[in-house]
Amino acid sequence: MRTMRLAAAAVVVSAAVVLSGCGPAPWATAPSPTSSSAPAPSSPPPVVAPPVENDLSSGSTQRDLTAGAVSVAVNYWSELRMDRWTPTAVKPVSLSLVTTVKPNDGQKVYLQKATMLAIPANADETFPALEPQVDQASVKNGYLVLKPYSYSQTFNVGQVPENATYVTLQFTYDFLVQTKPKADEYAKQTATDTVTVAIAQQAASGSE
């Protein structure tokens, strides 16, 4: 009887050895082919265009310029609202300036000429400049601009390309300064300034 039990145990052990040598048991669960798949790549964030600079966004701007011994205070503004500064609109730019001179020995300061050059552009391209606008003084020596006397003028920015997003306004002021009080000798001084104004984009007409 003991011999039969040993023989049966040997058969069971032998069967276990045979099964282990044939690879994993057929009832073992295979790993899911998608369980280790890599996560989908995330899409890049959208590119946001930087805001367009606008020196007149608050309605006006003031600049302090220097031309030799002459100090120039200039105010710029527009009577046209900024949302109406469209490519096709006539866009007025007004300015007012007054000067002081050091040392102030009684000599006078005159404005001979004021010029505005408008250059439209966008982030990728600069377009040809518009025709310069010039105010040439029609009186001898120029307009007296020594404080408290001031100079005022309005220039107009005409039509610009439809894809322009801003316009750069380059101002040039040419002054004559007496070398001494009541003298007929003058020194010429020039001051320059740049003002950037955003162009409002027109809404598309009609519906698709």
Side-chain angles (χ1 to χ4, degrees):
M1 191 69 176
R2 178 181 176 84
T3 301
M4 290 178 63
R5 290 177 180 172
L6 290 175
V11 171
V12 173
V13 172
S14 176
V17 172
V18 171
L19 287 175
S20 64
C22 293
W27 54 83
T29 303
S32 172
T34 59
S35 60
S36 60
S37 59
S42 59
S43 58
V47 177
V48 179
V52 178
E53 180 182 357
N54 190 350
D55 291 327
L56 298 183
S57 59
S58 63
S60 64
T61 188
Q62 180 178 353
R63 303 292 176 80
D64 294 318
L65 314 176
T66 301
V70 178
S71 297
V72 189
V74 191
N75 283 294
Y76 301 97
W77 71 94
S78 179
E79 297 294 341
L80 186 67
R81 284 185 352 210
M82 289 293 99
D83 61 342
R84 295 184 179 177
W85 268 62
T86 59
T88 57
V90 176
K91 300 167 278 292
V93 180
S94 299
L95 65 93
S96 177
L97 69 81
V98 66
T99 69
T100 56
V101 62
K102 290 183 179 180
N104 185 0
D105 297 326
Q107 65 270 45
K108 295 180 179 179
V109 180
Y110 301 92
L111 176 68
Q112 272 196 312
K113 183 171 63 174
T115 305
M116 184 192 77
L117 181 66
I119 305 174
N122 58 34
D124 303 314
E125 183 178 5
T126 298
F127 303 101
L130 305 185
E131 189 71 20
Q133 296 190 33
V134 181
D135 181 14
Q136 178 76 49
S138 56
V139 296
K140 182 183 178 180
N141 299 329
Y143 305 116
L144 180 62
V145 290
L146 185 65
K147 191 176 182 179
Y149 300 99
S150 62
Y151 165 84
S152 297
Q153 181 58 279
T154 297
F155 294 111
N156 290 312
V157 179
Q159 183 171 345
V160 299
E162 290 185 1
N163 51 342
T165 57
Y166 65 93
V167 60
T168 300
L169 308 177
Q170 296 180 353
F171 293 93
T172 304
Y173 306 104
D174 294 323
F175 300 98
L176 284 183
V177 185
Q178 280 183 315
T179 55
K180 58 184 179 180
K182 300 182 180 181
D184 287 332
E185 294 180 335
Y186 301 87
K188 181 179 179 180
Q189 303 290 348
T190 299
T192 60
D193 197 11
T194 299
V195 176
T196 301
V197 187
I199 298 296
Q201 299 306 299
Q202 294 173 309
S205 59
S207 57
E208 298 182 358

